[in-house]
Amino acid sequence: MSEHPLDVLFTAARDGESVVVPPGWGQGRATFGGVVAGAMLSRVLAAVDLPEQDVRAMTINFVGPVEAGDARVTAEVLRQGKSATQVEARVMQADASGVESVRAVALVTIGAARPSSLSLAASPLGKDLPEHDSLTPIPYIEGVTPEFIARLDMRLAKGHGPFSGGADGDMHGYMSFREPTDDFGLAHLVALVDCWPPAAGQMLTKVVPMSTMTWTMDFVAPVTGTGADRWWYEVTTDAAHDGYGHTAARVYTASGDPVVISCQTVAVFG
């Protein structure tokens, strides 16, 4: 049985509502969003017993911080038709006084393949990627970088660190797990997709709080691979004003095949 923390969490979410959110994946006082989203997706797929390659889209709202420790992950089928299924998932967690509240909500769209005259594949990356080993991993620095950085191998090819006064909000790079997972599926990739800091934050010149409010993913190809695979991430900041940033990203395999389109709305408190 795998002992990787994400394998344990996602297996628990598949088996039932009660989970233990693992320590060591924090960003500030919250568990980083990819772990939360992966747990919700795992619960959804178990609740409807449908193949993960039929997941077409997922939208997540982060209502409050999910902390390490006991939590409940629920899934409710809103509608199940002949081919399309809509499921709502929630992460519930109690505060110090024992009062339980919603910490995250997701809507997952699942659609079985069906005959269609429309056929247009997502465009491949269309350019050569830099050698992975030529790029320096983002280091984990205790008390400076989020603690989940210690779990992931992130190698920036374009862009800057947060609050560095960059000229734009674009960022490219590789992402993978430092310790490969024994299991690997769509929930693990979802966890990776959220690992990068809000891209708009690199344009700031001072440290201010930032947090993702909404996150939408479209899955444009079936996800295959192992826990040791590397994935390429490209994000553009489309707009940032009034205390909010809006970003659009694409995720590719290391060979340039597209798999995920990811968009976020980020709150910027300064």
Side-chain angles (χ1 to χ4, degrees), residues 59-64 103-105 194 198 210-216 242-246 263-269:
T59 299
I60 305 105
N61 278 48
F62 296 105
V63 180
R103 304 299 178 92
V105 180
D194 193 43
M210 297 183 294
S211 62
T212 299
M213 299 178 67
T214 63
W215 175 25
T216 300
D242 299 327
Y244 301 92
H246 305 274
C263 297
Q264 293 194 3
T265 298
V266 178
V268 182
F269 298 93

Side-chain angles (χ1 to χ4, degrees), residues 36-42 44 57-63 73-76 78 86-91 102-109 190 215 217:
V36 176
M40 288 192 287
L41 181 58
S42 297
V44 165
M58 182 175 185
T59 299
I60 305 105
N61 278 48
F62 296 105
V63 180
V73 185
T74 65
E76 177 185 358
L78 303 180
Q86 302 276 358
V87 188
E88 182 187 78
R90 295 187 174 200
V91 176
V102 178
R103 304 299 178 92
V105 180
L107 184 64
V108 180
T109 301
V190 165
W215 175 25
M217 285 171 287

Side-chain angles (χ1 to χ4, degrees), residues 39 89 229:
D229 284 353

Side-chain angles (χ1 to χ4, degrees), residues 224-249:
T224 59
T226 72
D229 284 353
R230 297 159 181 160
W231 304 83
W232 180 257
Y233 179 86
E234 293 198 356
V235 61
T236 299
T237 298
D238 293 322
H241 50 77
D242 299 327
Y244 301 92
H246 305 274
T247 64

Side-chain angles (χ1 to χ4, degrees), residues 51 53-56 79-86 109-120:
Q53 64 263 30
D54 287 345
V55 176
R56 306 297 171 176
R79 185 179 186 277
Q80 187 162 16
K82 291 182 178 180
S83 58
T85 300
Q86 302 276 358
T109 301
I110 305 169
R114 57 185 177 222
S116 174
S117 59
L118 180 63
S119 180
L120 176 65

Side-chain angles (χ1 to χ4, degrees), residues 87-177:
V87 188
E88 182 187 78
R90 295 187 174 200
V91 176
M92 312 288 293
Q93 200 166 45
D95 61 19
S97 64
V99 177
E100 190 179 62
S101 61
V102 178
R103 304 299 178 92
V105 180
L107 184 64
V108 180
T109 301
I110 305 169
R114 57 185 177 222
S116 174
S117 59
L118 180 63
S119 180
L120 176 65
S123 300
L125 191 55
K127 65 180 181 182
D128 293 331
L129 298 180
E131 290 292 332
H132 175 269
D133 292 344
S134 70
L135 303 175
T136 302
I138 296 175
Y140 169 63
I141 305 172
E142 187 173 358
V144 177
T145 58
E147 64 179 356
F148 74 83
I149 298 293
R151 306 279 190 172
L152 303 178
D153 186 336
M154 301 161 60
R155 305 199 177 202
L156 191 62
K158 176 185 177 181
H160 309 275
F163 320 118
S164 59
D168 58 39
D170 300 346
M171 188 179 295
H172 302 171
Y174 286 103
M175 56 189 180
S176 60
F177 293 106

